[in-house]
Amino acid sequence: MKKEDVIIYACVIVGAGVGLLFDNAFPGVLIGLGIGYLLKTVFINNTNRE
Protein backbone atom coordinates (compact mmCIF):
# COMPACT_ATOMS: atom_id res chain seq x y z
CA MET A 1 0.00 0.00 0.00
CA LYS A 2 1.37 3.36 -1.00
CA LYS A 3 1.32 6.31 1.32
CA GLU A 4 -0.65 8.38 -1.20
CA ASP A 5 -3.44 5.78 -1.43
CA VAL A 6 -4.43 6.30 2.21
CA ILE A 7 -6.36 9.41 1.12
CA ILE A 8 -8.47 7.36 -1.28
CA TYR A 9 -9.12 4.59 1.25
CA ALA A 10 -10.16 7.06 3.93
CA CYS A 11 -12.59 8.82 1.61
CA VAL A 12 -14.11 5.50 0.52
CA ILE A 13 -14.62 4.44 4.15
CA VAL A 14 -16.17 7.79 5.07
CA GLY A 15 -18.37 7.66 1.96
CA ALA A 16 -19.57 4.18 2.86
CA GLY A 17 -20.36 5.30 6.39
CA VAL A 18 -22.37 8.26 5.15
CA GLY A 19 -24.09 6.02 2.60
CA LEU A 20 -25.10 3.59 5.33
CA LEU A 21 -26.84 6.43 7.13
CA PHE A 22 -29.07 6.70 4.05
CA ASP A 23 -29.50 2.89 3.79
CA ASN A 24 -27.44 2.51 0.63
CA ALA A 25 -23.65 2.30 0.92
CA PHE A 26 -22.73 1.75 -2.74
CA PRO A 27 -23.35 5.32 -4.00
CA GLY A 28 -21.46 6.65 -0.98
CA VAL A 29 -18.51 4.43 -1.83
CA LEU A 30 -18.46 5.67 -5.42
CA ILE A 31 -18.69 9.30 -4.36
CA GLY A 32 -15.97 8.75 -1.76
CA LEU A 33 -13.78 7.09 -4.39
CA GLY A 34 -14.18 10.06 -6.72
CA ILE A 35 -13.50 12.61 -4.01
CA GLY A 36 -10.50 10.62 -2.77
CA TYR A 37 -9.02 10.42 -6.24
CA LEU A 38 -9.46 14.16 -6.76
CA LEU A 39 -7.89 14.95 -3.38
CA LYS A 40 -4.99 12.62 -4.11
CA THR A 41 -4.41 14.25 -7.49
CA VAL A 42 -4.47 17.75 -6.02
CA PHE A 43 -2.29 16.76 -3.05
CA ILE A 44 0.32 14.92 -5.13
CA ASN A 45 0.53 17.68 -7.76
CA ASN A 46 1.02 20.35 -5.08
CA THR A 47 3.78 18.42 -3.33
CA ASN A 48 5.60 17.63 -6.58
CA ARG A 49 5.74 21.29 -7.61
CA GLU A 50 7.86 22.30 -4.64
Side-chain angles (χ1 to χ4, degrees):
M1 181 169 88
K2 294 181 182 178
K3 196 177 209 180
E4 300 88 22
D5 292 339
V6 172
I7 297 169
I8 294 176
Y9 297 138
C11 288
V12 167
I13 291 170
V14 169
V18 171
L20 284 174
L21 291 175
F22 298 110
D23 295 329
N24 200 354
F26 189 67
V29 168
L30 293 179
I31 292 170
L33 181 64
I35 292 172
Y37 182 75
L38 289 175
L39 288 176
K40 177 186 170 189
T41 303
V42 169
F43 180 70
I44 298 303
N45 285 342
N46 285 340
T47 56
N48 287 342
R49 289 182 188 166
E50 294 176 357

